[in-house]
Amino acid sequence: MPTIKDVAKLAEVSVATVSRVMNNNGYVNQNTRQRVEEAIKQLNYRPNDVARSLFKGKSKMIALFVPDIMNPFFPQLARAVEDTANKYGYLFVLCNTDNDNEKEIAYLNALLQKTIDGIILVSNTIQVDQINDINVPIIALDRKINSNIISVTVNNREGASQAVRYLKETGCKRIAHIAGPKDVSSAKQRLEGYLDEVQSEEWFTTDYIRYGNYTVKEAYQATEELLSQHPEIDGIFAANDLMGVSVLKAAKNLGFDIPNQLSVIGYDGMELSDITSPTLTTMAQPIYDIGKRAVEILIEKIENSDKEVESEQYQVQLSVKESTHERREVDE
Amino acid sequence: MPTIKDVAKLAEVSVATVSRVMNNNGYVNQNTRQRVEEAIKQLNYRPNDVARSLFKGKSKMIALFVPDIMNPFFPQLARAVEDTANKYGYLFVLCNTDNDNEKEIAYLNALLQKTIDGIILVSNTIQVDQINDINVPIIALDRKINSNIISVTVNNREGASQAVRYLKETGCKRIAHIAGPKDVSSAKQRLEGYLDEVQSEEWFTTDYIRYGNYTVKEAYQATEELLSQHPEIDGIFAANDLMGVSVLKAAKNLGFDIPNQLSVIGYDGMELSDITSPTLTTMAQPIYDIGKRAVEILIEKIENSDKEVESEQYQVQLSVKESTHERREVDE
DNA sequence: CTGTAATATGTAACCGGTTACACACATAAT
DNA sequence: ATTATGTGTGTAACCGGTTACATATTACAG
């Protein structure tokens, strides 16, 4: 690998001049510039980013913490972050934390040693005091951490309410909820949104709430139990698509006819919801958009640290597919 | 952030001694070592990896190139690579290439400027001469690039043959294939494996081969056309699970009874194959294992560049689920 | 008691860039 | 003619580590 010295020698100038040419910085004579550019081309020279980083104290790298990229919600988010980071000249580092605080801290330290420029966190396990004293910009994505940490999220509560309202509109009279983990804010908010719509209904009972913990397996079991004990249920709102798919499957295996006898709606708007049969009606989150936006805000903070940026919240959108429909025939 | 100088000052030694303590390198008096360690602790000092990298010419980072992390095959692979990289003290960089050679080259250059220590490529678009002169260890994963580049793959051809043999064993008499892209080696090999088993059958016609290009949508269409034109087909081997799921869906929509009338087998062994109904029988690849192994080999090459390492090939394993079964009643 | 090896530590060069500063020269303003 | 300003370039310090080399002291063998 040629260094800046090699270029300087070939172009018969000092390294400072080469640096000026590369960075379009300070005065350089037109002839000199040409000589340097030719030398750069001739040697196929590329500046060493490590040396640059050392001097600047910036690495042009940002990291994304996610619980587990194998959860199909995160690839899209990761993709958005990577694309956007690249667009601004940043390298993207993916960190799977498994919701394990120790792993988070280990990553945090490793990244700080590499002078990472900024971090995007999808976390419900990080402690506020663990990131408060860090002088690297941090943004919470998908899940809020606390009010001091800027976040980009979607309005889960409202989205959940919308989902339940839609089920009502299509004629559902007994709507249950397969909830996510109790310690994940998005899951809590979706549960709240559900409750907002059903709590005052005379048919409502807390027994209509079952925990699937955002997993395929647990949601399947939860649904089996729910529907065996409550065959009167005619609508289920699953807190994410992964569980929605399980609901579909469990219900079908119990002989329920979807959507004629039972409507199912998920949450997230993942591709997954298109490959089942029937396809799964869902509340689509602007996943790519929030990932992209988080990076934009983060980079704004990185490159313009005095500028005050603010948290943003996005809306979900109803995406009607085959697992729900207008059910005129059930009119009581 | 404290530097090595701050530690040296506090411990009343030179920076060289601090460095020796940190790296367990050279002679250090027991008392001195203690003083230094206390100073490190007191200042919560962490060495700057950038400075280290600059001197050593190594970054302790490895990259993984994949076409698109949103394709559900890759998260597991990425996870394996990340876990294993971490285990050996390397940071993991994920690069989505979209099978776009320009993106690959752009990433390659960016990474070389960051003195990346090694690269794992899942690619069918990279040109051999584009990586031949690079003096950074490179390993091909999942797809071979050429015989000079060490690779970790699975035996796709044999796995495909096994899949077709299994369909035969369960009684299928007319077996079709939904193939992957013509320019992807794994897809080509799976097609070959299919042909190995059916080419000499008197019922075989090339019209039983349709291209789904590893995508949900195209596989759906291909299956619809195939089954409409050839209702006699009683077994379909899809070149990956993503397409297998589409086959399932298209066949069901056409009124085929699976598995009684039509058996379907996929390839990959993704979680996806468990959430459909019926669940999808598949040839499970040791995805995590090959990802892990690729990193191990790569790191061996990085840390011990003279050692000769060799390509490795793994076997797939039949994972029987609900989309196939012994069909005694169809005995002719 | 002397020579050699092991222990202990500091100084400074080095990795490959960036940039403050000095200096030279040309041009424009007074 | 003198001074201020703009242009062009090189020298060297700096970023924060690592390590070759020099030097000093101690331990031990002959």
Side-chain angles (χ1 to χ4, degrees), chain A residues 170-186:
Chain A
T170 63
C172 295
K173 306 292 184 197
R174 301 280 143 101
I175 301 170
H177 181 48
I178 305 293
K182 288 176 182 161
D183 57 345
V184 173
S185 72
S186 65

Side-chain angles (χ1 to χ4, degrees), chain B residues 96-151:
Chain B
N96 286 109
T97 65
D98 292 322
N99 289 317
D100 176 344
N101 189 251
E102 271 184 44
K103 278 196 189 181
E104 288 179 323
I105 298 306
Y107 258 126
L108 217 50
N109 285 327
L111 293 168
L112 290 174
Q113 288 187 235
K114 288 221 180 325
T115 63
I116 194 89
D117 289 349
I119 302 175
I120 298 175
L121 294 177
V122 180
S123 169
N124 43 269
T125 35
I126 200 101
Q127 304 299 315
V128 183
D129 60 309
Q130 291 173 327
I131 46 177
N132 257 344
D133 48 346
I134 292 178
N135 67 337
V136 166
I138 289 182
I139 287 196
L141 178 57
D142 180 55
R143 306 170 189 184
K144 288 178 184 166
I145 292 174
N146 99 342
S147 51
N148 298 326
I149 314 271
I150 304 278
S151 63

Side-chain angles (χ1 to χ4, degrees), chain B residues 193-214:
Chain B
Y194 163 75
L195 288 172
D196 289 343
E197 289 299 319
V198 301
Q199 206 145 33
S200 58
E201 301 282 348
E202 82 290 344
W203 52 258
F204 175 69
T205 148
T206 53
D207 209 38
Y208 278 8
I209 300 169
R210 300 294 168 108
Y211 288 87
N213 294 324
Y214 279 172

Side-chain angles (χ1 to χ4, degrees), chain B residues 234 257-264 278 322-325 327 329:
Chain B
D234 59 1
D257 175 12
I258 300 171
N260 295 315
Q261 187 182 358
L262 175 71
S263 280
V264 179
E322 299 164 0
S323 65
T324 55
H325 75 160
R327 220 169 323 131
E329 68 277 20

Side-chain angles (χ1 to χ4, degrees), chain B residues 115-251:
Chain B
T115 63
I116 194 89
D117 289 349
I119 302 175
I120 298 175
L121 294 177
V122 180
S123 169
N124 43 269
T125 35
I126 200 101
Q127 304 299 315
V128 183
D129 60 309
Q130 291 173 327
I131 46 177
N132 257 344
D133 48 346
I134 292 178
N135 67 337
V136 166
I138 289 182
I139 287 196
L141 178 57
D142 180 55
R143 306 170 189 184
K144 288 178 184 166
I145 292 174
N146 99 342
S147 51
N148 298 326
I149 314 271
I150 304 278
S151 63
V152 177
T153 54
V154 297
N155 193 335
N156 283 300
R157 186 163 179 168
E158 173 53 26
S161 289
Q162 261 179 263
V164 177
R165 280 202 298 273
Y166 176 71
L167 288 181
K168 284 181 178 174
E169 282 164 23
T170 63
C172 296
K173 306 293 184 196
R174 302 280 144 99
I175 302 169
H177 181 47
I178 305 293
K182 287 175 182 164
D183 58 345
V184 174
S185 72
S186 65
K188 275 188 284 187
Q189 290 159 10
R190 290 172 201 177
L191 173 56
E192 282 167 9
Y194 163 75
L195 288 172
D196 289 343
E197 289 299 319
V198 301
Q199 206 145 33
S200 58
E201 301 282 348
E202 82 290 344
W203 52 258
F204 175 69
T205 148
T206 53
D207 209 38
Y208 278 8
I209 300 169
R210 300 294 168 108
Y211 288 87
N213 294 324
Y214 279 172
T215 70
V216 171
K217 203 177 266 181
E218 293 179 64
Y220 188 91
Q221 272 196 341
T223 307
E224 261 189 336
E225 288 171 18
L226 174 73
L227 289 178
S228 315
Q229 293 162 27
H230 295 286
E232 77 279 10
I233 285 170
D234 59 1
I236 295 182
F237 163 47
N240 72 2
D241 285 346
L242 218 49
M243 297 196 299
V245 169
S246 276
V247 170
L248 244 36
K249 191 166 164 182

Side-chain angles (χ1 to χ4, degrees), chain B residues 33 52 74 118 136 143 154 184 192 222 266 270 292 299 320 322:
Chain B
R33 157 163 279 126
R52 227 174 222 181
F74 296 113
V136 166
R143 306 170 189 184
V154 297
V184 174
E192 282 167 9
M270 299 184 332
K292 180 181 167 195
I299 289 178
V320 176
E322 299 164 0

Side-chain angles (χ1 to χ4, degrees), chain B residues 13-14 16-17 20 27-29 32 54-55:
Chain B
V13 294
S14 73
T17 301
R20 289 192 192 101
Y27 295 111
V28 180
N29 182 284
T32 313
L54 178 57
F55 185 86

